[in-house]
Amino acid sequence: MTTADPRPADSDKLDSGVLKIAGVVVLGAVMAILDTTVVNVALQALTLEFKTSLDTIQWVVTGYMLALATVIPVTGWACDRFGTKRPYLLSIGLFLLGSMLAGMAWNIESLIAFRVLQGLGGGMLMPAGMTIMTRAAGPHRVGRVMAVLGVPMLLGPIGGPILGGWLVDAVSWRWIFYINVPIGVIAFLLAWRILPKDQPRPAEKFDFPGILMLSPGLALLIFGVSKVPTAGGVSSVGVWLPALAGVALIAAFVLRATRIANPLVDLKLFRDRTFSVAMITLTFFMAAFLGAMLLLPTYFVLVRGESALQAGLLLAPQGLGAMLTMPIGGRLADKIGPGKIVVPGIIVILAGLALFTQVGADTSYPLLLAGLFVMGLGMGFTMMPISAAALQTLTQRSVARASTTMNIVQQAAGGIGSAVMSVILASLLAGKFGVPTSQGQLTATALLMNPQTHDAAAGASADAFASTFLWALVLIAVCLVPALFLPKRPPVRKEDDDQEPVIAPAMH
């Protein structure tokens, strides 16, 4: 049963009911995000286990991403049509089933198929979870709620490589999937018990033509971009043809969505100035920051010769910095407005990232760790306050569709940013060693493993990384422009046209 929110509009604290809901959502998000980063560390072990090529094994990651891109657009409609609780339980169930089967995979084909099943569940977890938390807390506390939801986004990239490296080395690659089973069972039971039983809305006609344009469009775009590093550039037919087809389908979806009553993604949201500015800021931020995050462990492994586990441990200061500032950033975004938090946060990130534009083959570890810590401090003031800004001026009715749109932007921008940084790095490495772009990283690895060529190769490789970090720095700096237009006042409670009340946290 939904009841009116009895708390005053200026109430600051997240009460126990909201915190319980947050705990359930964070557990689900940790499961999905951790899984992505854990698998990245295990790709080499999986290549050896199944005696396959790097091109084939990449489908373990790409298949998961494509499934995510396919299912995310459905989430907003599903949360409106069936309420948020049932789609959330379904997503946990699918992810849990996919994890169990992936751990039992008998060949590379079965592993890729089960990873797709995982992705179909994982794609709904974040947008549905974001919708549940925003509705439970109300718009006046959205910054604080986003700060809580930001924890798994930080713990995943930090804890994933550490946990994955340890499981692969000490136990078995199968446990990178089995580890989700106990977490998933607990998350499912807690969600069943704790999440509020919200009411489905009157059924709107599902936009089947829209899903047939948008989901394949996103999948083709991400597939094309993901092929760039192995294809050696954007000129390959295997890159530009699917990417161009994806862009065409997305463009067709956008044109159609502006002319029909109930599109799959509500483009009318972009009439809200705050939402539009936040989406532009988020696009540049995710592309640049996730691209830079891809480079950091690669630098430690390739240039400095660290193991996957050691590289994961070296990234920990970034997460520690973010964990210190994220709760503060969430509270301040609610009190003084996200615009006053995000701009200083981006400047702090730039200060930390600037160090990596000067990185060498023997840069001291204390200096690198300090740079990562500073970047983390800035991230705590940046990513989730941007998300909070996007949602704070919307009505309750709009939150599910807005969360879906935000997750589409995050997936697309993050995937494209990671691919672009990979291409820049591969091109620079290839230029240093006089080989084709597709051979840049393989050549660098071979030369670094040879004691006679190691020192020269390490210096050249470090130069390539420094130049690539400079591109990431420029993209982060671009974020400052739209960030200046984010709201500089605290959010104001806004009711729906039909005066739908905020969903009070309750036990069912």
Side-chain angles (χ1 to χ4, degrees):
M1 179 179 166
T2 45
T3 57
D5 186 348
R7 289 171 279 105
D10 61 353
S11 174
D12 281 337
K13 293 182 180 179
L14 295 177
D15 55 65
S16 61
V18 175
L19 289 174
K20 286 176 182 176
I21 292 170
V24 173
V25 172
V26 165
L27 194 60
V30 164
M31 186 171 64
I33 294 170
L34 196 67
D35 188 76
T36 306
T37 52
V38 164
V39 170
N40 288 342
V41 176
L43 290 180
Q44 184 63 30
L46 293 172
T47 304
L48 297 172
E49 170 73 21
F50 293 116
K51 298 181 177 60
T52 188
S53 66
L54 184 62
D55 280 358
T56 304
I57 208 69
Q58 284 292 341
W59 276 95
V60 174
V61 176
T62 305
Y64 182 81
M65 286 181 65
L66 294 179
L68 284 180
T70 300
V71 78
I72 285 174
V74 185
T75 310
W77 174 83
C79 287
D80 281 349
R81 174 63 183 82
F82 301 106
T84 51
K85 185 171 182 174
R86 280 179 279 184
Y88 193 72
L89 288 170
L90 175 65
S91 65
I92 294 176
L94 282 175
F95 191 87
L96 184 57
L97 179 62
S99 297
M100 292 171 60
L101 293 171
M104 298 163 60
W106 53 91
N107 57 26
I108 188 61
E109 291 81 11
S110 62
L111 178 59
I112 291 168
F114 297 143
R115 282 286 286 166
V116 169
L117 181 61
Q118 260 192 316
L120 293 175
M124 281 196 189
L125 278 173
M126 284 302 289
M130 196 180 294
T131 302
I132 289 166
M133 286 182 64
T134 306
R135 287 181 177 177
H140 61 297
R141 298 183 298 182
V142 73
R144 236 172 247 98
V145 183
M146 286 299 162
V148 173
L149 196 57
V151 172
M153 291 188 173
L154 295 171
L155 293 180
I158 299 158
I162 298 171
L163 179 63
W166 178 75
L167 286 172
V168 170
D169 292 343
V171 191
S172 162
W173 66 266
R174 294 183 185 277
W175 276 93
I176 64 175
F177 302 112
Y178 287 149
I179 194 73
N180 291 322
V181 175
I183 301 174
V185 169
I186 294 169
F188 188 90
L189 294 175
L190 288 176
W192 182 275
R193 177 78 181 94
I194 291 172
L195 292 186
K197 190 176 182 182
D198 53 349
Q199 297 297 320
R201 300 182 188 279
E204 292 178 348
K205 186 179 178 183
F206 184 64
D207 184 12
F208 279 108
I211 194 72
L212 293 175
M213 294 179 196
L214 185 59
S215 287
L218 287 168
L220 283 167
L221 178 60
I222 292 173
F223 171 73
V225 172
S226 71
K227 295 287 286 182
V228 172
T230 52
V234 294
S235 59
S236 169
V237 176
V239 172
W240 66 259
L241 186 60
L244 189 62
V247 169
L249 282 170
I250 293 169
F253 170 81
V254 170
L255 286 173
R256 182 177 177 277
T258 58
R259 299 173 183 176
I260 64 170
N262 298 305
L264 194 65
V265 174
D266 188 2
L267 298 181
K268 295 185 184 73
L269 291 168
F270 288 93
R271 293 177 183 171
D272 185 293
R273 177 181 174 276
T274 302
F275 182 81
S276 297
V277 168
M279 286 298 97
I280 294 168
T281 311
L282 189 67
T283 299
F284 283 107
F285 182 81
M286 294 300 289
F289 200 82
L290 289 186
M293 291 308 94
L294 177 78
L295 300 175
L296 288 165
T298 310
Y299 165 79
F300 285 126
V301 172
L302 190 65
V303 179
R304 306 305 287 265
E306 304 290 355
S307 68
L309 177 57
Q310 289 167 328
L313 289 167
L314 286 165
L315 295 176
Q318 184 183 20
L320 294 174
M323 287 175 72
L324 288 176
T325 55
M326 189 166 275
I328 301 169
R331 281 197 296 271
L332 289 176
D334 286 340
K335 284 184 175 295
I336 64 175
K340 294 179 181 177
I341 305 301
V342 173
V343 172
I346 292 173
I347 292 170
V348 172
I349 290 173
L350 290 172
L353 190 56
L355 171 68
F356 288 88
T357 65
Q358 306 300 315
V359 79
D362 53 1
T363 305
S364 72
Y365 276 140
L367 195 61
L368 294 175
L369 298 180
L372 285 167
F373 182 72
V374 170
M375 286 172 65
L377 292 174
M379 187 179 177
F381 281 134
T382 308
M383 187 169 72
M384 299 319 287
I386 294 172
S387 300
L391 298 179
Q392 74 174 32
T393 58
L394 301 178
T395 62
Q396 289 277 0
R397 181 177 288 278
S398 304
V399 166
R401 301 293 177 96
S403 299
T404 298
T405 305
M406 195 185 309
N407 277 270
I408 291 170
V409 168
Q410 287 178 338
Q411 286 291 328
I416 291 169
S418 298
V420 167
M421 291 301 162
S422 297
V423 172
I424 293 171
L425 177 62
S427 300
L428 289 167
L429 287 171
K432 295 286 183 185
F433 302 116
V435 296
T437 301
S438 59
Q439 300 297 312
Q441 192 163 330
L442 291 173
T443 303
T445 304
L447 293 173
L448 285 163
M449 292 177 67
N450 186 338
Q452 295 180 333
T453 57
H454 176 273
D455 291 346
S461 299
D463 286 345
F465 274 93
S467 299
T468 311
F469 280 120
L470 182 60
W471 281 96
L473 186 79
V474 170
L475 273 179
I476 291 280
V478 170
C479 290
L480 282 171
V481 178
L484 290 170
F485 296 94
L486 289 172
K488 296 177 178 63
R489 294 180 181 179
V492 179
R493 183 186 296 271
K494 186 175 182 181
E495 297 294 340
D496 284 329
D497 295 336
D498 58 1
Q499 296 298 308
E500 182 198 51
V502 175
I503 298 171
M507 297 285 286
H508 289 271

